[in-house]
Amino acid sequence: MTLPNHRPGAVAPLVEPDPRPGAAAPLVEVDRLTVDFDGGARAVDGLSFTLEAGRALALVGESGSGKSTVAGALLGLHRGTGARLGGTVRVGGIDVGAAGPAELRRLRGGVAAMVFQDPLSALDPYHSVGDQIAEVYRIHHPGSRKAARARAVDVLGRVGIPDAARRSRSRPHEFSGGMRQRALLAMALACEPRLVVADEPTTALDVTVQAQILDLLHELRRETGTALLLVTHDVGVAAESVDEVLVMRHGREVERGAVAGVLGAPSAPYTRALLSAVPRLDGPVRTAPETKETLLEAVGLRREFGRGKAAVTAVDGVSLTVRAGETLGVVGESGSGKTTLGRMLVRLLDPTGGELRYRGEEIGGLSDKRLLPYRRELQMVFQDPVSSLNPRRSVGESIADPLRVAGERDETRIRGRVRELLDRVGLDPDRYAAYPHEFSGGQRQRVGIARALAAEPRLIVCDEPVSALDVTTQAQVTALLAELQAELGLGLVFIAHDLAVVRQVSDRVAVMRGGRIVEQGTVDEVYGEPRDPYTRQLLAAVPSLDPVLAAERRERRRELAAA
């Protein structure tokens, strides 16, 4: 891979700070930064740090810790929002707080560039990816449109987009999630910035795509000396990518130091708690339940979309069973068919082939009317609670829907049952009338679980229920599911792309690729002695908390890519 400013045949070492008297000032200087929002909420409280050229620093912490607010302050993104900033932020010698419009334009893209968490919302859906990169380039390098287009194609190629000239004419929706994130990196690189600020750049990406993006960021630093500020809630991602870690909580620094020291021997209790919540591939395995009752059985299940030559097979001949009291984990990359399979298991989608049996009864071909008796016992918790909850209705009313569908008409009993469910999932029953936007991401996921429980199900399919949550919230949600399962004897299907989480919560695991199950067995079998090369590839891409091991694995991936 060749990146901007790289001389063929030259591999520059990572730039070390110069300790000599009179050495150049750090690239980033943050001194007692405070950020207050309307309503008196203080997001950042007296934070100070520096970042030297060529170095990489990760801001790590839970949602609401102030990480993204700090990242935005480095580029003056709070200007005009009503936020009140105190302290000093200097980037490349520019005082961000005092900079005028022209100096801010020079800063953004020319000195520092931002890679946002959600590339779909950061890219304009109406314009081609190449045109958007070219527009950024022309802001800082006035010249012909032809030269700007050539630059866009060049940087797209350098971040690994195949057939860059042709794909530069594509719109964002025509790119996969990983390709869109590469496009944002290309946009950041277009003007050869001295600093890249990456805000959760791998959230919700598959482990293999995540590894590719992290490797790309590392190559960028190695070959160009560009500094990196990485914002992440994933401690494993930090271990893979940076020199130093700054742990944040409630807008303040909790701990800072070399990545090996902070992750290997943390001094702060909060850092230790954060690390203990991280799911690991070498963690304890669940004890399988002693049960023989089969709740759900799929035999040769198939689903196609479209007709004729345009037909796409999303699920192709899948067979599996789910027993009472056990968790079947389903893992695979985006497009493997996991979500389509999950929706068929609860009959939100009709199979186009195969058989689906619930407690011995064929339900795969039942009409909606004949399916009604089974609806209550088969429920689903969706990946995105924001889009699955009606923003115009209170969470209490959303949880009450299954009760009303089941025929309950006594509003006193409905309200009482909803309050019980809110309490059962760890939420305040008095928040019945609150709306989804008033809850955090983890709390909204608890609302989704409460809604599924309202129908008194026997089996719940959880579709990526913790994919965008920080590790402590993730641990709380998975612990809640395990507690409910033990208490109610629920069968669970846990769909996820995070292999470490699936290992932690599952009794058996099915690995999907291209609509098919390529490997299936107990956790010990699939993780301890994987038979399929694809399973081994997925496991090799899981981030390691050991920076030395992470570097060794990154080098192996680089060698394989070059072979």
Side-chain angles (χ1 to χ4, degrees):
M1 182 188 308
T2 305
L3 293 161
N5 285 339
H6 178 56
R7 300 187 310 277
V11 177
L14 294 180
V15 177
E16 298 289 344
D18 190 341
R20 295 171 300 178
L27 179 62
V28 176
E29 298 175 90
V30 175
D31 183 31
R32 294 169 290 179
L33 174 65
T34 62
V35 182
D36 296 304
F37 292 107
D38 290 340
R42 173 154 288 190
V44 181
D45 191 3
L47 188 71
S48 299
F49 66 88
T50 59
L51 176 62
E52 287 76 21
R55 302 288 288 177
L57 170 68
L59 301 183
V60 176
E62 298 172 280
S63 298
S65 62
K67 309 183 302 294
S68 293
T69 304
V70 174
L74 296 187
L75 281 87
L77 298 184
H78 302 304
R79 188 77 63 91
T81 66
R84 297 178 300 281
L85 275 68
T88 305
V89 175
R90 300 183 71 87
V91 179
I94 297 174
D95 185 335
V96 179
E103 204 167 21
L104 274 183
R105 280 195 298 274
R106 183 169 70 85
L107 169 69
R108 297 168 181 168
V111 177
M114 188 96 167
V115 178
F116 293 94
Q117 176 176 350
D118 181 8
L120 261 186
S121 61
L123 292 168
D124 190 328
Y126 295 104
H127 296 281
S128 73
V129 169
D131 283 347
Q132 294 181 62
I133 297 173
E135 181 183 8
V136 171
Y137 183 74
R138 292 189 72 202
I139 290 173
H140 298 276
H141 296 81
S144 69
R145 293 182 180 274
K146 183 178 180 180
R149 285 284 308 174
R151 178 61 177 169
V153 171
D154 181 41
V155 291
L156 281 170
R158 288 174 175 175
V159 299
I161 298 293
D163 195 4
R166 180 178 64 86
R167 296 311 302 266
S168 70
R169 296 189 290 272
S170 300
R171 286 177 169 76
H173 73 273
E174 299 177 271
F175 277 22
S176 67
M179 288 177 66
R180 285 193 291 265
Q181 199 59 275
R182 287 174 182 267
L184 280 187
L185 278 172
M187 188 178 294
L189 295 177
C191 298
E192 302 178 357
R194 298 167 62 193
L195 168 70
V196 170
V197 180
D199 187 3
E200 299 279 10
T202 62
T203 296
L205 293 180
D206 302 319
V207 287
T208 52
V209 179
Q210 175 178 266
Q212 293 165 9
I213 296 298
L214 295 178
D215 289 350
L216 179 60
L217 286 169
H218 183 80
E219 289 297 299
L220 164 66
R221 292 180 55 219
R222 189 175 70 89
E223 297 190 359
T224 70
T226 303
L228 171 67
L229 182 80
L230 176 68
V231 173
T232 181
H233 66 259
D234 191 325
V235 183
V237 167
E240 291 266 342
S241 313
V242 300
D243 309 305
E244 289 187 288
V245 173
L246 193 162
V247 181
M248 291 186 66
R249 188 184 192 192
H250 303 323
R252 298 179 179 179
E253 175 184 325
V254 173
E255 183 168 359
R256 182 185 179 185
V259 62
V262 173
L263 301 188
S267 60
Y270 174 73
T271 308
R272 292 196 291 271
L274 203 62
L275 287 168
S276 68
V278 177
R280 302 169 186 260
L281 290 180
D282 59 353
V285 177
R286 276 174 44 123
T287 302
E290 297 179 7
T291 178
K292 296 182 179 179
E293 181 188 7
T294 297
L295 291 178
L296 196 67
E297 184 178 12
V299 181
L301 211 60
R302 183 179 179 87
R303 174 70 195 201
E304 295 177 352
F305 293 97
R307 295 181 180 178
K309 293 182 179 180
V312 175
T313 302
V315 174
D316 188 7
V318 166
S319 297
L320 54 80
T321 59
V322 186
R323 302 181 182 93
E326 79 161 358
T327 299
L328 172 68
V330 180
V331 299
E333 296 178 282
S334 298
S336 62
K338 306 186 303 294
T339 294
T340 300
L341 172 63
R343 289 173 179 265
M344 283 195 292
L345 294 181
V346 296
R347 278 298 309 274
L348 290 179
L349 278 176
D350 297 330
T352 53
E355 295 182 358
L356 183 63
R357 306 188 190 109
Y358 175 67
R359 303 182 74 180
E361 299 289 331
E362 167 63 39
I363 65 169
L366 294 182
S367 65
D368 287 344
K369 185 175 182 179
R370 293 178 59 203
L371 191 63
L372 283 176
Y374 302 98
R375 285 288 191 199
R376 292 190 62 171
E377 298 192 21
L378 298 170
Q379 292 292 315
M380 192 160 191
V381 175
F382 297 92
Q383 175 176 357
D384 183 7
V386 174
S387 60
S388 64
L389 293 170
N390 189 331
R392 294 181 176 85
R393 302 183 70 216
S394 73
V395 297
E397 288 301 298
S398 291
I399 296 170
D401 283 343
L403 300 174
R404 296 194 175 101
V405 169
E408 180 62 69
R409 294 293 178 264
D410 188 315
E411 288 300 316
T412 300
R413 281 204 295 266
I414 289 174
R415 196 173 187 88
R417 176 60 177 154
V418 171
R419 288 176 60 88
E420 289 175 8
L421 289 166
L422 285 169
D423 182 63
R424 185 66 194 83
V425 299
L427 295 175
D428 184 352
D430 290 337
R431 301 193 71 185
Y432 182 107
Y435 288 85
H437 72 271
E438 299 177 66
F439 293 82
S440 68
Q443 289 174 328
R444 284 193 291 261
Q445 200 58 279
R446 289 172 182 265
V447 172
I449 294 170
R451 182 175 57 181
L453 291 175
E456 299 181 353
R458 296 291 306 280
L459 182 140
I460 299 178
V461 173
C462 302
D463 184 13
E464 297 276 11
V466 297
S467 64
L469 303 179
D470 54 57
V471 289
T472 49
T473 307
Q474 188 179 89
Q476 292 165 5
V477 172
T478 55
L480 172 62
L481 287 169
E483 184 181 329
L484 293 169
Q485 183 179 46
E487 178 183 325
L488 304 173
L490 298 170
L492 291 179
V493 177
F494 194 96
I495 297 170
H497 65 265
D498 189 325
L499 278 82
V501 172
V502 169
R503 184 185 186 279
Q504 184 182 53
V505 304
S506 303
D507 303 298
R508 292 184 298 115
V509 178
V511 182
M512 289 193 72
R513 185 185 193 188
R516 298 180 179 180
I517 291 179
V518 298
E519 186 158 0
Q520 188 172 184
T522 66
V523 168
D524 281 335
E525 291 168 345
V526 173
Y527 285 78
E529 299 179 2
R531 300 186 306 275
D532 193 89
Y534 177 66
T535 307
R536 294 195 291 269
Q537 177 186 345
L538 289 179
L539 290 170
V542 176
S544 170
L545 289 178
D546 181 349
V548 175
L549 178 58
E552 292 174 353
R553 291 167 60 176
R554 181 172 56 242
E555 184 61 23
R556 284 201 298 270
R557 290 194 297 266
R558 191 183 69 82
E559 291 172 354
L560 287 173

